[in-house]
Amino acid sequence: MDVDRRKLLIGLGVAGGVGIGAGIGYTVLDEEEPRRPPAEEPEVPRAEQFGTVINAVEVGADPNGEEPVNDILTEYADDDTLLSFPEGTYLLQPITLSDYTRFGIAAEGRGRPTFVAEDGNCVNGGSSYVHFENVAELLLDGVTFDFTGDSTGGVVRITATGDATVTNVRAPGECADQVALFRLDVVDEAATAIVEGLEIDNQSTDSWLTGVFVGKQHAGDLVFRNCSVEGFTDNGLYASAPGLSDGAGGIVHVDGGTYRNNNVSNVRLGSAGSVARGVTSISDSPPPSDGEVTANARGFRLRSGYGQLIDGCEVRITGDTRFTHGGIVFHKTNGGARVQDTRVEIDRDETPAIRLFPRENDNPETPFFENIDIRGTAARAQSVIVENRDETVFRNCTIKGSGEDRNGLVFRDSANCRLVNSTVDVTGYPVVLQNATLLIKNTTFITPDGREEIDEMEATEGDFAPESER
């Protein structure tokens, strides 16, 4: 994919996506919208396709974890070469493997080799414990990096100059004060990397630690497919950095998987065209906090950029978790995104399902929500709050809140918003407008006072809530 085509697709609102899904025609309610093309499958050889396959134990690797395997890795790593590790435990010291094409490390057969970090060797800050640096056509399959020892571990980092595939990798750990347990950047705009079946969890409750990090230099396509990320202090999947003003703008796709009890957010996106599809985000117990990071267990956080898509996802926040700004949260630096065919269940009191912070950016697009199912037992406050977000649209949405004094949608300092073909069934006020205007069409309000069908109405702040709610 060349540079001009990528920019054109993003400008049209059709970039990104794993599989197919609706695009970003936010301002058009009734026309068919463009579709997002899938990410291309990476050109990475399977294990049996490498020109050279080396059994690591046969050339001297110790499968009992007593002698480091670093010398074996550096001696035999080469282009068009796969290092195959039988099941066993392999002691690993910090290492960088650089500038290879068609290189791989994989489990032999159905066994699972485990690379154990050296005790007491915690590589802090931005340094890596294992760095696959400037590699193309990389295969990493079926291995575990064990960083659970006391004060042990660091980042497993991949800087891909070409395609890469990471499958069935596990990386439990607790080494504090580092960027992440796992980091992947595709620095070539034309390249694609797929991370499938990654299982990564934080073994500590008081360490500053991110699960998976995607850096500003990411420029290509990166897919996280059916991964499990749990229990991190500083985001589960932190993938918004490429969308910063000085970021490379690479697209991130999150396809399926479960992200659970991660502080700050379970999934965080920022670059234009990035997609979360079929993802389960759960907050059902307090996420870890080291005392320096404010507890805030958001499900999805859209930070920076514009034009992201959340499609077919599920967000659950129970009463057992910590404080959170909400299930799906738009940061003030996010321009606009589309959320569709998604269910949000909130059982924590005074917690919104959707929260849009006041816009403080020049990014294009406006927020658009379609086929959203919001429900739960949360009491008080509101299910949806929109602040300083003109032209926000809710279409074909169901908003139910059974907790006491629960309002439906609150629009504040937001003009020309729309609520179309929807149902709001709450114990408080269905809509609260504060210096805001809302076009309501073909929508039903259900409250303890009765049922109201609205065919079409230009609503202002005096129409639903009393003076005290303005």
Side-chain angles (χ1 to χ4, degrees), residues 350-375:
E350 301 180 347
T351 299
I354 295 172
R355 180 162 190 172
L356 281 63
F357 278 95
R359 180 186 183 120
E360 297 181 11
N361 62 81
D362 296 325
N363 290 321
E365 307 295 354
T366 53
F368 190 99
F369 300 86
E370 184 169 30
N371 296 329
I372 309 301
D373 183 359
I374 296 173
R375 59 189 62 222

PDB file of all heavy atoms in Angstrom, residues 350-375:
ATOM      1  N   GLU A 350     -23.351   5.401  39.191  1.00  0.00           N
ATOM      2  CA  GLU A 350     -22.820   6.698  38.767  1.00  0.00           C
ATOM      3  C   GLU A 350     -21.757   6.573  37.687  1.00  0.00           C
ATOM      4  O   GLU A 350     -20.864   7.410  37.572  1.00  0.00           O
ATOM      5  CB  GLU A 350     -22.285   7.480  39.975  1.00  0.00           C
ATOM      6  CG  GLU A 350     -23.349   7.732  41.041  1.00  0.00           C
ATOM      7  CD  GLU A 350     -22.820   8.505  42.235  1.00  0.00           C
ATOM      8  OE1 GLU A 350     -21.587   8.638  42.353  1.00  0.00           O
ATOM      9  OE2 GLU A 350     -23.643   8.962  43.050  1.00  0.00           O
ATOM     10  N   THR A 351     -21.852   5.531  36.898  1.00  0.00           N
ATOM     11  CA  THR A 351     -20.881   5.273  35.833  1.00  0.00           C
ATOM     12  C   THR A 351     -21.578   5.270  34.485  1.00  0.00           C
ATOM     13  O   THR A 351     -22.527   4.506  34.285  1.00  0.00           O
ATOM     14  CB  THR A 351     -20.182   3.917  36.057  1.00  0.00           C
ATOM     15  OG1 THR A 351     -19.492   3.941  37.301  1.00  0.00           O
ATOM     16  CG2 THR A 351     -19.204   3.622  34.935  1.00  0.00           C
ATOM     17  N   PRO A 352     -21.163   6.109  33.540  1.00  0.00           N
ATOM     18  CA  PRO A 352     -21.799   6.108  32.218  1.00  0.00           C
ATOM     19  C   PRO A 352     -21.328   4.952  31.345  1.00  0.00           C
ATOM     20  O   PRO A 352     -20.198   4.470  31.487  1.00  0.00           O
ATOM     21  CB  PRO A 352     -21.364   7.453  31.629  1.00  0.00           C
ATOM     22  CG  PRO A 352     -20.071   7.749  32.280  1.00  0.00           C
ATOM     23  CD  PRO A 352     -20.155   7.171  33.668  1.00  0.00           C
ATOM     24  N   ALA A 353     -22.191   4.532  30.450  1.00  0.00           N
ATOM     25  CA  ALA A 353     -21.787   3.559  29.441  1.00  0.00           C
ATOM     26  C   ALA A 353     -20.922   4.220  28.380  1.00  0.00           C
ATOM     27  O   ALA A 353     -19.937   3.652  27.909  1.00  0.00           O
ATOM     28  CB  ALA A 353     -23.022   2.930  28.804  1.00  0.00           C
ATOM     29  N   ILE A 354     -21.302   5.451  28.009  1.00  0.00           N
ATOM     30  CA  ILE A 354     -20.585   6.201  26.975  1.00  0.00           C
ATOM     31  C   ILE A 354     -20.326   7.605  27.508  1.00  0.00           C
ATOM     32  O   ILE A 354     -21.243   8.270  28.010  1.00  0.00           O
ATOM     33  CB  ILE A 354     -21.386   6.268  25.668  1.00  0.00           C
ATOM     34  CG1 ILE A 354     -21.534   4.859  25.064  1.00  0.00           C
ATOM     35  CG2 ILE A 354     -20.741   7.223  24.678  1.00  0.00           C
ATOM     36  CD1 ILE A 354     -22.471   4.799  23.882  1.00  0.00           C
ATOM     37  N   ARG A 355     -19.082   8.061  27.382  1.00  0.00           N
ATOM     38  CA  ARG A 355     -18.752   9.415  27.800  1.00  0.00           C
ATOM     39  C   ARG A 355     -17.884  10.090  26.756  1.00  0.00           C
ATOM     40  O   ARG A 355     -16.841   9.554  26.364  1.00  0.00           O
ATOM     41  CB  ARG A 355     -18.028   9.422  29.141  1.00  0.00           C
ATOM     42  CG  ARG A 355     -17.674  10.827  29.593  1.00  0.00           C
ATOM     43  CD  ARG A 355     -17.362  10.921  31.060  1.00  0.00           C
ATOM     44  NE  ARG A 355     -17.254  12.315  31.477  1.00  0.00           N
ATOM     45  CZ  ARG A 355     -17.131  12.712  32.737  1.00  0.00           C
ATOM     46  NH1 ARG A 355     -17.116  11.812  33.706  1.00  0.00           N
ATOM     47  NH2 ARG A 355     -17.044  13.991  33.030  1.00  0.00           N
ATOM     48  N   LEU A 356     -18.335  11.264  26.317  1.00  0.00           N
ATOM     49  CA  LEU A 356     -17.593  12.063  25.352  1.00  0.00           C
ATOM     50  C   LEU A 356     -17.133  13.334  26.054  1.00  0.00           C
ATOM     51  O   LEU A 356     -17.956  14.198  26.385  1.00  0.00           O
ATOM     52  CB  LEU A 356     -18.456  12.415  24.140  1.00  0.00           C
ATOM     53  CG  LEU A 356     -18.645  11.336  23.070  1.00  0.00           C
ATOM     54  CD1 LEU A 356     -19.364  10.107  23.624  1.00  0.00           C
ATOM     55  CD2 LEU A 356     -19.417  11.901  21.889  1.00  0.00           C
ATOM     56  N   PHE A 357     -15.823  13.433  26.299  1.00  0.00           N
ATOM     57  CA  PHE A 357     -15.299  14.624  26.941  1.00  0.00           C
ATOM     58  C   PHE A 357     -15.301  15.799  25.962  1.00  0.00           C
ATOM     59  O   PHE A 357     -15.289  15.606  24.741  1.00  0.00           O
ATOM     60  CB  PHE A 357     -13.885  14.361  27.465  1.00  0.00           C
ATOM     61  CG  PHE A 357     -13.865  13.664  28.789  1.00  0.00           C
ATOM     62  CD1 PHE A 357     -13.744  12.280  28.863  1.00  0.00           C
ATOM     63  CD2 PHE A 357     -13.994  14.374  29.967  1.00  0.00           C
ATOM     64  CE1 PHE A 357     -13.728  11.630  30.081  1.00  0.00           C
ATOM     65  CE2 PHE A 357     -13.983  13.737  31.200  1.00  0.00           C
ATOM     66  CZ  PHE A 357     -13.857  12.365  31.264  1.00  0.00           C
ATOM     67  N   PRO A 358     -15.312  17.026  26.485  1.00  0.00           N
ATOM     68  CA  PRO A 358     -15.341  18.197  25.603  1.00  0.00           C
ATOM     69  C   PRO A 358     -14.212  18.173  24.585  1.00  0.00           C
ATOM     70  O   PRO A 358     -13.061  17.908  24.916  1.00  0.00           O
ATOM     71  CB  PRO A 358     -15.190  19.379  26.571  1.00  0.00           C
ATOM     72  CG  PRO A 358     -15.709  18.871  27.870  1.00  0.00           C
ATOM     73  CD  PRO A 358     -15.320  17.415  27.908  1.00  0.00           C
ATOM     74  N   ARG A 359     -14.573  18.460  23.352  1.00  0.00           N
ATOM     75  CA  ARG A 359     -13.608  18.405  22.255  1.00  0.00           C
ATOM     76  C   ARG A 359     -12.608  19.543  22.365  1.00  0.00           C
ATOM     77  O   ARG A 359     -12.975  20.710  22.458  1.00  0.00           O
ATOM     78  CB  ARG A 359     -14.370  18.494  20.936  1.00  0.00           C
ATOM     79  CG  ARG A 359     -13.508  18.446  19.688  1.00  0.00           C
ATOM     80  CD  ARG A 359     -14.360  18.690  18.467  1.00  0.00           C
ATOM     81  NE  ARG A 359     -13.579  18.576  17.248  1.00  0.00           N
ATOM     82  CZ  ARG A 359     -13.845  17.702  16.285  1.00  0.00           C
ATOM     83  NH1 ARG A 359     -14.846  16.862  16.422  1.00  0.00           N
ATOM     84  NH2 ARG A 359     -13.107  17.665  15.192  1.00  0.00           N
ATOM     85  N   GLU A 360     -11.319  19.211  22.322  1.00  0.00           N
ATOM     86  CA  GLU A 360     -10.246  20.195  22.319  1.00  0.00           C
ATOM     87  C   GLU A 360      -9.233  19.784  21.267  1.00  0.00           C
ATOM     88  O   GLU A 360      -8.073  19.468  21.560  1.00  0.00           O
ATOM     89  CB  GLU A 360      -9.592  20.305  23.700  1.00  0.00           C
ATOM     90  CG  GLU A 360     -10.531  20.789  24.797  1.00  0.00           C
ATOM     91  CD  GLU A 360      -9.841  20.903  26.140  1.00  0.00           C
ATOM     92  OE1 GLU A 360      -8.592  20.806  26.183  1.00  0.00           O
ATOM     93  OE2 GLU A 360     -10.543  21.089  27.155  1.00  0.00           O
ATOM     94  N   ASN A 361      -9.658  19.770  20.005  1.00  0.00           N
ATOM     95  CA  ASN A 361      -8.763  19.347  18.932  1.00  0.00           C
ATOM     96  C   ASN A 361      -9.295  19.852  17.608  1.00  0.00           C
ATOM     97  O   ASN A 361     -10.445  20.296  17.505  1.00  0.00           O
ATOM     98  CB  ASN A 361      -8.652  17.814  18.906  1.00  0.00           C
ATOM     99  CG  ASN A 361      -9.980  17.139  18.626  1.00  0.00           C
ATOM    100  OD1 ASN A 361     -10.395  17.037  17.482  1.00  0.00           O
ATOM    101  ND2 ASN A 361     -10.669  16.698  19.671  1.00  0.00           N
ATOM    102  N   ASP A 362      -8.469  19.771  16.598  1.00  0.00           N
ATOM    103  CA  ASP A 362      -8.856  20.166  15.245  1.00  0.00           C
ATOM    104  C   ASP A 362      -9.047  18.947  14.348  1.00  0.00           C
ATOM    105  O   ASP A 362      -9.104  19.082  13.122  1.00  0.00           O
ATOM    106  CB  ASP A 362      -7.779  21.082  14.637  1.00  0.00           C
ATOM    107  CG  ASP A 362      -7.655  22.397  15.393  1.00  0.00           C
ATOM    108  OD1 ASP A 362      -8.693  22.904  15.864  1.00  0.00           O
ATOM    109  OD2 ASP A 362      -6.515  22.898  15.520  1.00  0.00           O
ATOM    110  N   ASN A 363      -9.121  17.771  14.935  1.00  0.00           N
ATOM    111  CA  ASN A 363      -9.298  16.560  14.137  1.00  0.00           C
ATOM    112  C   ASN A 363     -10.687  16.546  13.510  1.00  0.00           C
ATOM    113  O   ASN A 363     -11.651  17.026  14.100  1.00  0.00           O
ATOM    114  CB  ASN A 363      -9.118  15.323  15.009  1.00  0.00           C
ATOM    115  CG  ASN A 363      -7.679  15.131  15.431  1.00  0.00           C
ATOM    116  OD1 ASN A 363      -6.774  15.361  14.652  1.00  0.00           O
ATOM    117  ND2 ASN A 363      -7.465  14.734  16.675  1.00  0.00           N
ATOM    118  N   PRO A 364     -10.817  15.975  12.325  1.00  0.00           N
ATOM    119  CA  PRO A 364     -12.125  15.953  11.660  1.00  0.00           C
ATOM    120  C   PRO A 364     -13.036  14.872  12.232  1.00  0.00           C
ATOM    121  O   PRO A 364     -12.668  14.141  13.140  1.00  0.00           O
ATOM    122  CB  PRO A 364     -11.762  15.635  10.199  1.00  0.00           C
ATOM    123  CG  PRO A 364     -10.489  14.856  10.301  1.00  0.00           C
ATOM    124  CD  PRO A 364      -9.747  15.436  11.474  1.00  0.00           C
ATOM    125  N   GLU A 365     -14.239  14.809  11.677  1.00  0.00           N
ATOM    126  CA  GLU A 365     -15.260  13.824  11.986  1.00  0.00           C
ATOM    127  C   GLU A 365     -15.987  14.137  13.300  1.00  0.00           C
ATOM    128  O   GLU A 365     -15.510  14.899  14.144  1.00  0.00           O
ATOM    129  CB  GLU A 365     -14.693  12.388  12.027  1.00  0.00           C
ATOM    130  CG  GLU A 365     -13.934  11.980  10.787  1.00  0.00           C
ATOM    131  CD  GLU A 365     -14.782  11.907   9.530  1.00  0.00           C
ATOM    132  OE1 GLU A 365     -16.024  12.069   9.612  1.00  0.00           O
ATOM    133  OE2 GLU A 365     -14.205  11.697   8.455  1.00  0.00           O
ATOM    134  N   THR A 366     -17.162  13.545  13.427  1.00  0.00           N
ATOM    135  CA  THR A 366     -17.978  13.690  14.628  1.00  0.00           C
ATOM    136  C   THR A 366     -18.368  12.307  15.122  1.00  0.00           C
ATOM    137  O   THR A 366     -18.375  11.338  14.357  1.00  0.00           O
ATOM    138  CB  THR A 366     -19.250  14.502  14.328  1.00  0.00           C
ATOM    139  OG1 THR A 366     -19.931  13.916  13.216  1.00  0.00           O
ATOM    140  CG2 THR A 366     -18.903  15.946  14.010  1.00  0.00           C
ATOM    141  N   PRO A 367     -18.713  12.167  16.398  1.00  0.00           N
ATOM    142  CA  PRO A 367     -19.064  10.842  16.934  1.00  0.00           C
ATOM    143  C   PRO A 367     -20.386  10.334  16.360  1.00  0.00           C
ATOM    144  O   PRO A 367     -21.359  11.091  16.216  1.00  0.00           O
ATOM    145  CB  PRO A 367     -19.177  11.095  18.436  1.00  0.00           C
ATOM    146  CG  PRO A 367     -18.398  12.352  18.678  1.00  0.00           C
ATOM    147  CD  PRO A 367     -18.606  13.181  17.456  1.00  0.00           C
ATOM    148  N   PHE A 368     -20.422   9.046  16.076  1.00  0.00           N
ATOM    149  CA  PHE A 368     -21.616   8.421  15.489  1.00  0.00           C
ATOM    150  C   PHE A 368     -21.818   7.071  16.167  1.00  0.00           C
ATOM    151  O   PHE A 368     -20.899   6.246  16.210  1.00  0.00           O
ATOM    152  CB  PHE A 368     -21.412   8.236  13.984  1.00  0.00           C
ATOM    153  CG  PHE A 368     -22.651   7.821  13.239  1.00  0.00           C
ATOM    154  CD1 PHE A 368     -23.415   8.753  12.557  1.00  0.00           C
ATOM    155  CD2 PHE A 368     -23.052   6.502  13.211  1.00  0.00           C
ATOM    156  CE1 PHE A 368     -24.548   8.369  11.858  1.00  0.00           C
ATOM    157  CE2 PHE A 368     -24.187   6.110  12.526  1.00  0.00           C
ATOM    158  CZ  PHE A 368     -24.939   7.047  11.851  1.00  0.00           C
ATOM    159  N   PHE A 369     -23.020   6.841  16.685  1.00  0.00           N
ATOM    160  CA  PHE A 369     -23.350   5.600  17.391  1.00  0.00           C
ATOM    161  C   PHE A 369     -24.564   4.967  16.730  1.00  0.00           C
ATOM    162  O   PHE A 369     -25.602   5.624  16.553  1.00  0.00           O
ATOM    163  CB  PHE A 369     -23.655   5.891  18.865  1.00  0.00           C
ATOM    164  CG  PHE A 369     -22.513   6.516  19.614  1.00  0.00           C
ATOM    165  CD1 PHE A 369     -22.322   7.896  19.598  1.00  0.00           C
ATOM    166  CD2 PHE A 369     -21.608   5.728  20.311  1.00  0.00           C
ATOM    167  CE1 PHE A 369     -21.262   8.478  20.273  1.00  0.00           C
ATOM    168  CE2 PHE A 369     -20.539   6.306  20.991  1.00  0.00           C
ATOM    169  CZ  PHE A 369     -20.370   7.680  20.960  1.00  0.00           C
ATOM    170  N   GLU A 370     -24.452   3.684  16.394  1.00  0.00           N
ATOM    171  CA  GLU A 370     -25.561   2.990  15.731  1.00  0.00           C
ATOM    172  C   GLU A 370     -25.682   1.568  16.274  1.00  0.00           C
ATOM    173  O   GLU A 370     -24.681   0.872  16.463  1.00  0.00           O
ATOM    174  CB  GLU A 370     -25.329   2.942  14.219  1.00  0.00           C
ATOM    175  CG  GLU A 370     -26.499   2.307  13.470  1.00  0.00           C
ATOM    176  CD  GLU A 370     -26.398   2.488  11.969  1.00  0.00           C
ATOM    177  OE1 GLU A 370     -25.261   2.559  11.465  1.00  0.00           O
ATOM    178  OE2 GLU A 370     -27.444   2.563  11.300  1.00  0.00           O
ATOM    179  N   ASN A 371     -26.930   1.173  16.528  1.00  0.00           N
ATOM    180  CA  ASN A 371     -27.213  -0.177  17.047  1.00  0.00           C
ATOM    181  C   ASN A 371     -26.424  -0.457  18.327  1.00  0.00           C
ATOM    182  O   ASN A 371     -25.775  -1.497  18.464  1.00  0.00           O
ATOM    183  CB  ASN A 371     -26.893  -1.247  15.995  1.00  0.00           C
ATOM    184  CG  ASN A 371     -27.768  -1.140  14.764  1.00  0.00           C
ATOM    185  OD1 ASN A 371     -28.925  -0.723  14.849  1.00  0.00           O
ATOM    186  ND2 ASN A 371     -27.223  -1.485  13.623  1.00  0.00           N
ATOM    187  N   ILE A 372     -26.514   0.469  19.258  1.00  0.00           N
ATOM    188  CA  ILE A 372     -25.858   0.311  20.552  1.00  0.00           C
ATOM    189  C   ILE A 372     -26.900  -0.145  21.567  1.00  0.00           C
ATOM    190  O   ILE A 372     -27.969   0.454  21.691  1.00  0.00           O
ATOM    191  CB  ILE A 372     -25.208   1.631  21.030  1.00  0.00           C
ATOM    192  CG1 ILE A 372     -24.332   2.216  19.922  1.00  0.00           C
ATOM    193  CG2 ILE A 372     -24.406   1.390  22.304  1.00  0.00           C
ATOM    194  CD1 ILE A 372     -23.221   1.329  19.461  1.00  0.00           C
ATOM    195  N   ASP A 373     -26.588  -1.191  22.298  1.00  0.00           N
ATOM    196  CA  ASP A 373     -27.470  -1.729  23.336  1.00  0.00           C
ATOM    197  C   ASP A 373     -26.837  -1.441  24.689  1.00  0.00           C
ATOM    198  O   ASP A 373     -25.838  -2.049  25.059  1.00  0.00           O
ATOM    199  CB  ASP A 373     -27.647  -3.237  23.130  1.00  0.00           C
ATOM    200  CG  ASP A 373     -28.612  -3.868  24.127  1.00  0.00           C
ATOM    201  OD1 ASP A 373     -29.131  -3.137  25.002  1.00  0.00           O
ATOM    202  OD2 ASP A 373     -28.836  -5.085  24.051  1.00  0.00           O
ATOM    203  N   ILE A 374     -27.426  -0.488  25.423  1.00  0.00           N
ATOM    204  CA  ILE A 374     -26.920  -0.104  26.738  1.00  0.00           C
ATOM    205  C   ILE A 374     -27.910  -0.563  27.790  1.00  0.00           C
ATOM    206  O   ILE A 374     -29.110  -0.316  27.679  1.00  0.00           O
ATOM    207  CB  ILE A 374     -26.723   1.419  26.829  1.00  0.00           C
ATOM    208  CG1 ILE A 374     -25.646   1.880  25.842  1.00  0.00           C
ATOM    209  CG2 ILE A 374     -26.354   1.840  28.253  1.00  0.00           C
ATOM    210  CD1 ILE A 374     -25.507   3.382  25.744  1.00  0.00           C
ATOM    211  N   ARG A 375     -27.407  -1.210  28.835  1.00  0.00           N
ATOM    212  CA  ARG A 375     -28.274  -1.680  29.905  1.00  0.00           C
ATOM    213  C   ARG A 375     -27.472  -1.846  31.185  1.00  0.00           C
ATOM    214  O   ARG A 375     -26.269  -1.629  31.215  1.00  0.00           O
ATOM    215  CB  ARG A 375     -28.956  -2.986  29.530  1.00  0.00           C
ATOM    216  CG  ARG A 375     -28.005  -4.128  29.210  1.00  0.00           C
ATOM    217  CD  ARG A 375     -28.781  -5.314  28.641  1.00  0.00           C
ATOM    218  NE  ARG A 375     -29.433  -4.961  27.391  1.00  0.00           N
ATOM    219  CZ  ARG A 375     -30.682  -5.322  27.073  1.00  0.00           C
ATOM    220  NH1 ARG A 375     -31.412  -6.043  27.925  1.00  0.00           N
ATOM    221  NH2 ARG A 375     -31.214  -4.984  25.922  1.00  0.00           N
TER     222      ARG A 375
END
